[in-house]
Structures are given as C-alpha cells and as structure tokens.
mmCIF file of all heavy atoms in Angstrom:
data_model
loop_
_atom_site.group_PDB
_atom_site.id
_atom_site.type_symbol
_atom_site.label_atom_id
_atom_site.label_comp_id
_atom_site.label_asym_id
_atom_site.label_seq_id
_atom_site.Cartn_x
_atom_site.Cartn_y
_atom_site.Cartn_z
ATOM 1 N N ASN A 1 -17.862 -6.517 -10.606
ATOM 2 C CA ASN A 1 -18.258 -5.175 -10.158
ATOM 3 C C ASN A 1 -17.028 -4.440 -9.544
ATOM 4 O O ASN A 1 -17.190 -3.359 -8.978
ATOM 5 C CB ASN A 1 -19.405 -5.229 -9.159
ATOM 6 C CG ASN A 1 -19.054 -6.008 -7.896
ATOM 7 O OD1 ASN A 1 -17.945 -6.453 -7.702
ATOM 8 N ND2 ASN A 1 -20.040 -6.134 -7.022
ATOM 9 N N GLY A 2 -15.891 -5.024 -9.627
ATOM 10 C CA GLY A 2 -14.712 -4.414 -9.100
ATOM 11 C C GLY A 2 -14.464 -4.444 -7.606
ATOM 12 O O GLY A 2 -13.528 -3.846 -7.104
ATOM 13 N N VAL A 3 -15.337 -5.061 -6.931
ATOM 14 C CA VAL A 3 -15.260 -5.118 -5.437
ATOM 15 C C VAL A 3 -14.150 -6.045 -5.005
ATOM 16 O O VAL A 3 -13.401 -5.769 -4.015
ATOM 17 C CB VAL A 3 -16.595 -5.577 -4.816
ATOM 18 C CG1 VAL A 3 -16.453 -5.764 -3.314
ATOM 19 C CG2 VAL A 3 -17.684 -4.482 -5.069
ATOM 20 N N THR A 4 -13.990 -7.177 -5.656
ATOM 21 C CA THR A 4 -12.931 -8.134 -5.269
ATOM 22 C C THR A 4 -11.792 -8.012 -6.310
ATOM 23 O O THR A 4 -12.008 -8.043 -7.508
ATOM 24 C CB THR A 4 -13.503 -9.624 -5.385
ATOM 25 O OG1 THR A 4 -14.648 -9.640 -4.539
ATOM 26 C CG2 THR A 4 -12.422 -10.540 -4.850
ATOM 27 N N THR A 5 -10.581 -7.840 -5.724
ATOM 28 C CA THR A 5 -9.438 -7.731 -6.625
ATOM 29 C C THR A 5 -8.337 -8.742 -6.213
ATOM 30 O O THR A 5 -8.336 -9.298 -5.101
ATOM 31 C CB THR A 5 -8.798 -6.317 -6.507
ATOM 32 O OG1 THR A 5 -8.477 -6.029 -5.153
ATOM 33 C CG2 THR A 5 -9.768 -5.291 -7.047
ATOM 34 N N TYR A 6 -7.438 -8.995 -7.158
ATOM 35 C CA TYR A 6 -6.309 -9.811 -6.957
ATOM 36 C C TYR A 6 -5.038 -9.066 -7.462
ATOM 37 O O TYR A 6 -5.130 -8.438 -8.533
ATOM 38 C CB TYR A 6 -6.375 -11.150 -7.626
ATOM 39 C CG TYR A 6 -5.068 -11.891 -7.730
ATOM 40 C CD1 TYR A 6 -4.683 -12.692 -6.674
ATOM 41 C CD2 TYR A 6 -4.230 -11.724 -8.845
ATOM 42 C CE1 TYR A 6 -3.451 -13.338 -6.706
ATOM 43 C CE2 TYR A 6 -3.014 -12.371 -8.820
ATOM 44 C CZ TYR A 6 -2.637 -13.164 -7.836
ATOM 45 O OH TYR A 6 -1.420 -13.810 -7.820
ATOM 46 N N TYR A 7 -3.987 -9.129 -6.715
ATOM 47 C CA TYR A 7 -2.702 -8.531 -7.164
ATOM 48 C C TYR A 7 -1.547 -9.541 -6.923
ATOM 49 O O TYR A 7 -1.528 -10.161 -5.897
ATOM 50 C CB TYR A 7 -2.385 -7.269 -6.414
ATOM 51 C CG TYR A 7 -3.326 -6.117 -6.741
ATOM 52 C CD1 TYR A 7 -4.415 -5.848 -5.912
ATOM 53 C CD2 TYR A 7 -3.110 -5.332 -7.883
ATOM 54 C CE1 TYR A 7 -5.286 -4.825 -6.206
ATOM 55 C CE2 TYR A 7 -4.019 -4.269 -8.185
ATOM 56 C CZ TYR A 7 -5.064 -4.055 -7.332
ATOM 57 O OH TYR A 7 -5.929 -3.008 -7.616
ATOM 58 N N ALA A 8 -0.637 -9.640 -7.864
ATOM 59 C CA ALA A 8 0.570 -10.383 -7.603
ATOM 60 C C ALA A 8 1.322 -9.653 -6.533
ATOM 61 O O ALA A 8 1.281 -8.448 -6.407
ATOM 62 C CB ALA A 8 1.369 -10.494 -8.903
ATOM 63 N N ASP A 9 2.098 -10.443 -5.741
ATOM 64 C CA ASP A 9 2.870 -9.802 -4.698
ATOM 65 C C ASP A 9 3.868 -8.815 -5.202
ATOM 66 O O ASP A 9 4.179 -7.792 -4.553
ATOM 67 C CB ASP A 9 3.584 -10.972 -3.937
ATOM 68 C CG ASP A 9 2.710 -11.791 -3.037
ATOM 69 O OD1 ASP A 9 1.584 -11.359 -2.771
ATOM 70 O OD2 ASP A 9 3.121 -12.877 -2.627
ATOM 71 N N SER A 10 4.307 -9.048 -6.390
ATOM 72 C CA SER A 10 5.317 -8.162 -7.047
ATOM 73 C C SER A 10 4.836 -6.825 -7.355
ATOM 74 O O SER A 10 5.590 -5.880 -7.570
ATOM 75 C CB SER A 10 5.912 -8.835 -8.268
ATOM 76 O OG SER A 10 4.936 -9.117 -9.198
ATOM 77 N N VAL A 11 3.450 -6.639 -7.396
ATOM 78 C CA VAL A 11 2.945 -5.331 -7.827
ATOM 79 C C VAL A 11 2.026 -4.722 -6.740
ATOM 80 O O VAL A 11 1.508 -3.578 -6.933
ATOM 81 C CB VAL A 11 2.130 -5.418 -9.171
ATOM 82 C CG1 VAL A 11 3.029 -6.091 -10.243
ATOM 83 C CG2 VAL A 11 0.830 -6.206 -8.949
ATOM 84 N N LYS A 12 1.821 -5.416 -5.648
ATOM 85 C CA LYS A 12 1.008 -4.909 -4.559
ATOM 86 C C LYS A 12 1.499 -3.584 -4.102
ATOM 87 O O LYS A 12 2.709 -3.425 -3.834
ATOM 88 C CB LYS A 12 0.894 -5.897 -3.387
ATOM 89 C CG LYS A 12 -0.101 -7.018 -3.624
ATOM 90 C CD LYS A 12 -0.145 -7.964 -2.421
ATOM 91 C CE LYS A 12 -1.083 -9.068 -2.744
ATOM 92 N NZ LYS A 12 -1.114 -10.074 -1.570
ATOM 93 N N GLY A 13 0.617 -2.622 -3.943
ATOM 94 C CA GLY A 13 1.037 -1.254 -3.464
ATOM 95 C C GLY A 13 1.482 -0.360 -4.559
ATOM 96 O O GLY A 13 1.689 0.837 -4.326
ATOM 97 N N ARG A 14 1.704 -0.894 -5.810
ATOM 98 C CA ARG A 14 2.169 -0.060 -6.859
ATOM 99 C C ARG A 14 1.129 0.023 -7.992
ATOM 100 O O ARG A 14 1.033 0.983 -8.695
ATOM 101 C CB ARG A 14 3.441 -0.609 -7.446
ATOM 102 C CG ARG A 14 4.573 -0.616 -6.400
ATOM 103 C CD ARG A 14 5.914 -0.988 -7.092
ATOM 104 N NE ARG A 14 5.908 -2.282 -7.660
ATOM 105 C CZ ARG A 14 6.243 -2.573 -8.950
ATOM 106 N NH1 ARG A 14 6.538 -1.600 -9.772
ATOM 107 N NH2 ARG A 14 6.207 -3.822 -9.415
ATOM 108 N N PHE A 15 0.434 -1.100 -8.275
ATOM 109 C CA PHE A 15 -0.503 -1.202 -9.350
ATOM 110 C C PHE A 15 -1.955 -1.169 -8.846
ATOM 111 O O PHE A 15 -2.201 -1.722 -7.749
ATOM 112 C CB PHE A 15 -0.315 -2.463 -10.178
ATOM 113 C CG PHE A 15 0.945 -2.541 -10.949
ATOM 114 C CD1 PHE A 15 1.973 -1.633 -10.832
ATOM 115 C CD2 PHE A 15 1.106 -3.567 -11.912
ATOM 116 C CE1 PHE A 15 3.140 -1.735 -11.614
ATOM 117 C CE2 PHE A 15 2.293 -3.607 -12.698
ATOM 118 C CZ PHE A 15 3.266 -2.736 -12.514
ATOM 119 N N ILE A 16 -2.839 -0.608 -9.583
ATOM 120 C CA ILE A 16 -4.214 -0.567 -9.250
ATOM 121 C C ILE A 16 -5.065 -0.929 -10.491
ATOM 122 O O ILE A 16 -4.862 -0.343 -11.556
ATOM 123 C CB ILE A 16 -4.660 0.869 -8.805
ATOM 124 C CG1 ILE A 16 -3.837 1.275 -7.559
ATOM 125 C CG2 ILE A 16 -6.167 0.810 -8.381
ATOM 126 C CD1 ILE A 16 -4.015 2.727 -7.193
ATOM 127 N N VAL A 17 -5.951 -1.933 -10.291
ATOM 128 C CA VAL A 17 -6.827 -2.360 -11.368
ATOM 129 C C VAL A 17 -8.225 -1.817 -11.121
ATOM 130 O O VAL A 17 -8.757 -1.910 -9.994
ATOM 131 C CB VAL A 17 -6.804 -3.903 -11.549
ATOM 132 C CG1 VAL A 17 -7.281 -4.622 -10.274
ATOM 133 C CG2 VAL A 17 -7.612 -4.335 -12.751
ATOM 134 N N THR A 18 -8.828 -1.290 -12.079
ATOM 135 C CA THR A 18 -10.234 -0.763 -12.050
ATOM 136 C C THR A 18 -10.960 -1.096 -13.334
ATOM 137 O O THR A 18 -10.320 -1.485 -14.322
ATOM 138 C CB THR A 18 -10.216 0.716 -11.781
ATOM 139 O OG1 THR A 18 -9.535 1.369 -12.854
ATOM 140 C CG2 THR A 18 -9.593 1.133 -10.443
ATOM 141 N N ARG A 19 -12.222 -0.883 -13.246
ATOM 142 C CA ARG A 19 -13.015 -1.081 -14.435
ATOM 143 C C ARG A 19 -14.182 -0.123 -14.499
ATOM 144 O O ARG A 19 -14.633 0.382 -13.491
ATOM 145 C CB ARG A 19 -13.600 -2.547 -14.503
ATOM 146 C CG ARG A 19 -14.577 -2.878 -13.404
ATOM 147 C CD ARG A 19 -14.913 -4.379 -13.387
ATOM 148 N NE ARG A 19 -15.544 -4.819 -14.613
ATOM 149 C CZ ARG A 19 -15.607 -6.067 -15.035
ATOM 150 N NH1 ARG A 19 -15.042 -7.009 -14.283
ATOM 151 N NH2 ARG A 19 -16.210 -6.375 -16.120
ATOM 152 N N ASP A 20 -14.624 0.156 -15.742
ATOM 153 C CA ASP A 20 -15.772 1.056 -15.953
ATOM 154 C C ASP A 20 -16.748 0.237 -16.836
ATOM 155 O O ASP A 20 -16.525 0.136 -18.069
ATOM 156 C CB ASP A 20 -15.330 2.329 -16.676
ATOM 157 C CG ASP A 20 -16.475 3.342 -16.819
ATOM 158 O OD1 ASP A 20 -17.639 2.912 -16.818
ATOM 159 O OD2 ASP A 20 -16.159 4.564 -16.992
ATOM 160 N N ASN A 21 -17.708 -0.310 -16.218
ATOM 161 C CA ASN A 21 -18.656 -1.166 -16.971
ATOM 162 C C ASN A 21 -19.498 -0.415 -17.978
ATOM 163 O O ASN A 21 -20.004 -0.988 -18.957
ATOM 164 C CB ASN A 21 -19.545 -1.908 -15.973
ATOM 165 C CG ASN A 21 -18.838 -3.057 -15.329
ATOM 166 O OD1 ASN A 21 -17.746 -3.478 -15.686
ATOM 167 N ND2 ASN A 21 -19.451 -3.616 -14.230
ATOM 168 N N ALA A 22 -19.595 0.925 -17.787
ATOM 169 C CA ALA A 22 -20.371 1.681 -18.741
ATOM 170 C C ALA A 22 -19.541 1.894 -20.021
ATOM 171 O O ALA A 22 -20.158 2.132 -21.092
ATOM 172 C CB ALA A 22 -20.763 3.043 -18.145
ATOM 173 N N LYS A 23 -18.259 1.746 -19.890
ATOM 174 C CA LYS A 23 -17.358 1.935 -21.063
ATOM 175 C C LYS A 23 -16.753 0.670 -21.597
ATOM 176 O O LYS A 23 -15.921 0.673 -22.430
ATOM 177 C CB LYS A 23 -16.271 2.984 -20.710
ATOM 178 C CG LYS A 23 -16.758 4.352 -20.393
ATOM 179 C CD LYS A 23 -15.611 5.286 -20.079
ATOM 180 C CE LYS A 23 -16.120 6.704 -19.918
ATOM 181 N NZ LYS A 23 -15.011 7.637 -19.626
ATOM 182 N N ASN A 24 -17.115 -0.471 -20.966
ATOM 183 C CA ASN A 24 -16.523 -1.763 -21.364
ATOM 184 C C ASN A 24 -15.038 -1.685 -21.294
ATOM 185 O O ASN A 24 -14.385 -2.262 -22.228
ATOM 186 C CB ASN A 24 -17.051 -2.153 -22.748
ATOM 187 C CG ASN A 24 -18.438 -2.688 -22.763
ATOM 188 O OD1 ASN A 24 -19.149 -2.570 -21.800
ATOM 189 N ND2 ASN A 24 -18.852 -3.239 -23.853
ATOM 190 N N THR A 25 -14.474 -1.084 -20.286
ATOM 191 C CA THR A 25 -13.064 -0.883 -20.207
ATOM 192 C C THR A 25 -12.515 -1.224 -18.815
ATOM 193 O O THR A 25 -13.116 -0.954 -17.810
ATOM 194 C CB THR A 25 -12.739 0.602 -20.507
ATOM 195 O OG1 THR A 25 -13.234 0.979 -21.783
ATOM 196 C CG2 THR A 25 -11.239 0.850 -20.520
ATOM 197 N N VAL A 26 -11.345 -1.902 -18.881
ATOM 198 C CA VAL A 26 -10.601 -2.198 -17.680
ATOM 199 C C VAL A 26 -9.292 -1.470 -17.707
ATOM 200 O O VAL A 26 -8.697 -1.312 -18.814
ATOM 201 C CB VAL A 26 -10.416 -3.711 -17.464
ATOM 202 C CG1 VAL A 26 -9.651 -4.317 -18.572
ATOM 203 C CG2 VAL A 26 -9.779 -4.018 -16.111
ATOM 204 N N TYR A 27 -8.802 -0.982 -16.590
ATOM 205 C CA TYR A 27 -7.623 -0.182 -16.493
ATOM 206 C C TYR A 27 -6.542 -0.854 -15.590
ATOM 207 O O TYR A 27 -6.918 -1.548 -14.664
ATOM 208 C CB TYR A 27 -7.912 1.232 -15.986
ATOM 209 C CG TYR A 27 -8.956 1.943 -16.750
ATOM 210 C CD1 TYR A 27 -10.330 1.951 -16.364
ATOM 211 C CD2 TYR A 27 -8.594 2.666 -17.907
ATOM 212 C CE1 TYR A 27 -11.225 2.642 -17.021
ATOM 213 C CE2 TYR A 27 -9.574 3.358 -18.605
ATOM 214 C CZ TYR A 27 -10.908 3.331 -18.216
ATOM 215 O OH TYR A 27 -11.859 4.051 -18.940
ATOM 216 N N LEU A 28 -5.342 -0.521 -15.835
ATOM 217 C CA LEU A 28 -4.251 -0.910 -14.953
ATOM 218 C C LEU A 28 -3.366 0.320 -14.762
ATOM 219 O O LEU A 28 -2.641 0.678 -15.702
ATOM 220 C CB LEU A 28 -3.441 -2.095 -15.464
ATOM 221 C CG LEU A 28 -2.381 -2.570 -14.477
ATOM 222 C CD1 LEU A 28 -3.009 -3.219 -13.310
ATOM 223 C CD2 LEU A 28 -1.484 -3.649 -15.196
ATOM 224 N N GLN A 29 -3.513 0.961 -13.613
ATOM 225 C CA GLN A 29 -2.630 2.053 -13.229
ATOM 226 C C GLN A 29 -1.358 1.468 -12.616
ATOM 227 O O GLN A 29 -1.412 0.760 -11.632
ATOM 228 C CB GLN A 29 -3.308 2.958 -12.221
ATOM 229 C CG GLN A 29 -2.462 4.121 -11.742
ATOM 230 C CD GLN A 29 -2.155 5.149 -12.855
ATOM 231 O OE1 GLN A 29 -3.060 5.502 -13.673
ATOM 232 N NE2 GLN A 29 -0.915 5.598 -12.896
ATOM 233 N N MET A 30 -0.200 1.853 -13.217
ATOM 234 C CA MET A 30 1.079 1.241 -12.806
ATOM 235 C C MET A 30 1.914 2.371 -12.350
ATOM 236 O O MET A 30 2.295 3.289 -13.099
ATOM 237 C CB MET A 30 1.756 0.502 -13.937
ATOM 238 C CG MET A 30 0.845 -0.609 -14.574
ATOM 239 S SD MET A 30 1.682 -1.576 -15.749
ATOM 240 C CE MET A 30 1.989 -0.355 -17.046
ATOM 241 N N ASN A 31 2.254 2.428 -11.020
ATOM 242 C CA ASN A 31 3.051 3.408 -10.430
ATOM 243 C C ASN A 31 4.406 2.893 -9.985
ATOM 244 O O ASN A 31 4.558 1.651 -9.787
ATOM 245 C CB ASN A 31 2.290 4.038 -9.267
ATOM 246 C CG ASN A 31 1.002 4.619 -9.685
ATOM 247 O OD1 ASN A 31 0.867 5.306 -10.676
ATOM 248 N ND2 ASN A 31 -0.009 4.380 -8.801
ATOM 249 N N ASN A 32 5.372 3.741 -9.821
ATOM 250 C CA ASN A 32 6.721 3.322 -9.372
ATOM 251 C C ASN A 32 7.156 2.155 -10.168
ATOM 252 O O ASN A 32 7.683 1.128 -9.600
ATOM 253 C CB ASN A 32 6.667 3.051 -7.879
ATOM 254 C CG ASN A 32 8.051 2.838 -7.302
ATOM 255 O OD1 ASN A 32 9.053 3.324 -7.844
ATOM 256 N ND2 ASN A 32 8.152 2.086 -6.157
ATOM 257 N N LEU A 33 7.163 2.280 -11.423
ATOM 258 C CA LEU A 33 7.556 1.166 -12.289
ATOM 259 C C LEU A 33 9.060 0.889 -12.188
ATOM 260 O O LEU A 33 9.882 1.824 -11.983
ATOM 261 C CB LEU A 33 7.216 1.469 -13.760
ATOM 262 C CG LEU A 33 5.749 1.275 -14.131
ATOM 263 C CD1 LEU A 33 5.375 2.065 -15.396
ATOM 264 C CD2 LEU A 33 5.434 -0.176 -14.304
ATOM 265 N N GLN A 34 9.392 -0.349 -12.257
ATOM 266 C CA GLN A 34 10.757 -0.801 -12.149
ATOM 267 C C GLN A 34 11.118 -1.605 -13.387
ATOM 268 O O GLN A 34 10.280 -2.142 -14.068
ATOM 269 C CB GLN A 34 10.900 -1.673 -10.894
ATOM 270 C CG GLN A 34 10.592 -0.919 -9.627
ATOM 271 C CD GLN A 34 11.444 0.309 -9.371
ATOM 272 O OE1 GLN A 34 12.676 0.261 -9.547
ATOM 273 N NE2 GLN A 34 10.785 1.434 -9.050
ATOM 274 N N PRO A 35 12.483 -1.671 -13.660
ATOM 275 C CA PRO A 35 12.880 -2.434 -14.816
ATOM 276 C C PRO A 35 12.340 -3.845 -14.910
ATOM 277 O O PRO A 35 12.013 -4.376 -15.998
ATOM 278 C CB PRO A 35 14.399 -2.443 -14.709
ATOM 279 C CG PRO A 35 14.756 -1.200 -14.027
ATOM 280 C CD PRO A 35 13.582 -1.028 -13.024
ATOM 281 N N GLU A 36 12.122 -4.495 -13.800
ATOM 282 C CA GLU A 36 11.592 -5.856 -13.816
ATOM 283 C C GLU A 36 10.133 -5.854 -14.203
ATOM 284 O O GLU A 36 9.584 -6.976 -14.384
ATOM 285 C CB GLU A 36 11.742 -6.505 -12.406
ATOM 286 C CG GLU A 36 11.219 -5.756 -11.224
ATOM 287 C CD GLU A 36 12.359 -4.834 -10.597
ATOM 288 O OE1 GLU A 36 13.239 -4.359 -11.309
ATOM 289 O OE2 GLU A 36 12.259 -4.695 -9.378
ATOM 290 N N ASP A 37 9.482 -4.741 -14.329
ATOM 291 C CA ASP A 37 8.102 -4.720 -14.780
ATOM 292 C C ASP A 37 8.002 -4.726 -16.350
ATOM 293 O O ASP A 37 6.934 -4.767 -16.923
ATOM 294 C CB ASP A 37 7.403 -3.459 -14.293
ATOM 295 C CG ASP A 37 7.219 -3.430 -12.783
ATOM 296 O OD1 ASP A 37 6.814 -4.477 -12.239
ATOM 297 O OD2 ASP A 37 7.466 -2.376 -12.193
ATOM 298 N N THR A 38 9.167 -4.627 -17.008
ATOM 299 C CA THR A 38 9.226 -4.688 -18.472
ATOM 300 C C THR A 38 8.637 -5.993 -18.893
ATOM 301 O O THR A 38 9.113 -7.034 -18.506
ATOM 302 C CB THR A 38 10.693 -4.522 -18.917
ATOM 303 O OG1 THR A 38 11.127 -3.193 -18.538
ATOM 304 C CG2 THR A 38 10.763 -4.650 -20.415
ATOM 305 N N ALA A 39 7.687 -5.896 -19.789
ATOM 306 C CA ALA A 39 6.985 -7.066 -20.305
ATOM 307 C C ALA A 39 5.900 -6.665 -21.287
ATOM 308 O O ALA A 39 5.612 -5.441 -21.438
ATOM 309 C CB ALA A 39 6.276 -7.831 -19.198
ATOM 310 N N THR A 40 5.338 -7.578 -22.013
ATOM 311 C CA THR A 40 4.168 -7.406 -22.781
ATOM 312 C C THR A 40 2.982 -7.660 -21.876
ATOM 313 O O THR A 40 2.918 -8.709 -21.269
ATOM 314 C CB THR A 40 4.092 -8.274 -24.008
ATOM 315 O OG1 THR A 40 5.183 -7.934 -24.892
ATOM 316 C CG2 THR A 40 2.787 -8.032 -24.781
ATOM 317 N N TYR A 41 2.120 -6.712 -21.763
ATOM 318 C CA TYR A 41 0.929 -6.821 -20.919
ATOM 319 C C TYR A 41 -0.312 -7.143 -21.743
ATOM 320 O O TYR A 41 -0.551 -6.513 -22.744
ATOM 321 C CB TYR A 41 0.737 -5.500 -20.142
ATOM 322 C CG TYR A 41 1.738 -5.284 -19.003
ATOM 323 C CD1 TYR A 41 3.049 -5.047 -19.309
ATOM 324 C CD2 TYR A 41 1.359 -5.448 -17.709
ATOM 325 C CE1 TYR A 41 4.000 -4.885 -18.244
ATOM 326 C CE2 TYR A 41 2.272 -5.317 -16.679
ATOM 327 C CZ TYR A 41 3.569 -5.055 -16.956
ATOM 328 O OH TYR A 41 4.502 -4.894 -15.931
ATOM 329 N N TYR A 42 -1.043 -8.104 -21.229
ATOM 330 C CA TYR A 42 -2.270 -8.579 -21.873
ATOM 331 C C TYR A 42 -3.440 -8.412 -20.951
ATOM 332 O O TYR A 42 -3.369 -8.674 -19.744
ATOM 333 C CB TYR A 42 -2.166 -10.034 -22.257
ATOM 334 C CG TYR A 42 -1.004 -10.366 -23.155
ATOM 335 C CD1 TYR A 42 0.222 -10.698 -22.650
ATOM 336 C CD2 TYR A 42 -1.200 -10.426 -24.515
ATOM 337 C CE1 TYR A 42 1.315 -11.005 -23.479
ATOM 338 C CE2 TYR A 42 -0.144 -10.754 -25.404
ATOM 339 C CZ TYR A 42 1.110 -11.083 -24.867
ATOM 340 O OH TYR A 42 2.116 -11.330 -25.713
ATOM 341 N N CYS A 43 -4.597 -8.013 -21.480
ATOM 342 C CA CYS A 43 -5.829 -8.079 -20.732
ATOM 343 C C CYS A 43 -6.644 -9.306 -21.253
ATOM 344 O O CYS A 43 -6.413 -9.755 -22.400
ATOM 345 C CB CYS A 43 -6.605 -6.819 -20.847
ATOM 346 S SG CYS A 43 -7.438 -6.513 -22.345
ATOM 347 N N ALA A 44 -7.469 -9.802 -20.399
ATOM 348 C CA ALA A 44 -8.241 -11.025 -20.706
ATOM 349 C C ALA A 44 -9.581 -10.955 -19.971
ATOM 350 O O ALA A 44 -9.694 -10.381 -18.910
ATOM 351 C CB ALA A 44 -7.452 -12.254 -20.416
ATOM 352 N N ARG A 45 -10.588 -11.592 -20.598
ATOM 353 C CA ARG A 45 -11.873 -11.727 -19.943
ATOM 354 C C ARG A 45 -11.954 -13.077 -19.247
ATOM 355 O O ARG A 45 -11.675 -14.102 -19.862
ATOM 356 C CB ARG A 45 -13.000 -11.576 -21.007
ATOM 357 C CG ARG A 45 -14.363 -11.415 -20.357
ATOM 358 C CD ARG A 45 -15.466 -11.292 -21.400
ATOM 359 N NE ARG A 45 -15.795 -12.643 -21.926
ATOM 360 C CZ ARG A 45 -16.882 -12.874 -22.671
ATOM 361 N NH1 ARG A 45 -17.750 -11.906 -22.898
ATOM 362 N NH2 ARG A 45 -17.073 -14.122 -23.152
ATOM 363 N N GLY A 46 -12.353 -13.016 -17.999
ATOM 364 C CA GLY A 46 -12.363 -14.253 -17.212
ATOM 365 C C GLY A 46 -13.702 -14.879 -17.157
ATOM 366 O O GLY A 46 -14.479 -14.827 -18.135
#
C-alpha cells in the first residue's frame, strides 16, 4: 500500500518510490541525479 518504504543510503533524499494500485504501476522519481547513478534500472515484484 506504499506506506512502508526502503531506500538505499546512496539515494535517500533524492529518489522517491510510489505506486498507483489502480494503474498497476510503480514509479521511481529520481532527482539531483549524479554520474554514479548511471546504471540499468529494473523493477521487480516482491
């Protein structure tokens, strides 16, 4: 339900994860991106 979240220390304060259960969609808002954030990003169902 989006109430409990986890963030890696490296992204705390910059990234925000949310979900819309009506749209079966999860989002990752990434702000203040840095070169070390360069990667392939995957979503997964837990």
Side-chain angles (χ1 to χ4, degrees):
N1 61 3
V3 171
T4 304
T5 57
Y6 166 85
Y7 293 96
D9 288 342
S10 57
V11 307
K12 279 181 182 176
R14 300 188 298 125
F15 290 12
I16 301 171
V17 61
T18 57
R19 65 189 296 161
D20 185 339
N21 285 346
K23 296 182 178 180
N24 284 11
T25 303
V26 60
Y27 304 96
L28 184 66
Q29 177 67 42
M30 305 186 295
N31 301 318
N32 190 22
L33 283 160
Q34 300 299 314
E36 53 266 34
D37 295 314
T38 295
T40 298
Y41 284 72
Y42 302 87
C43 72
R45 192 182 76 166

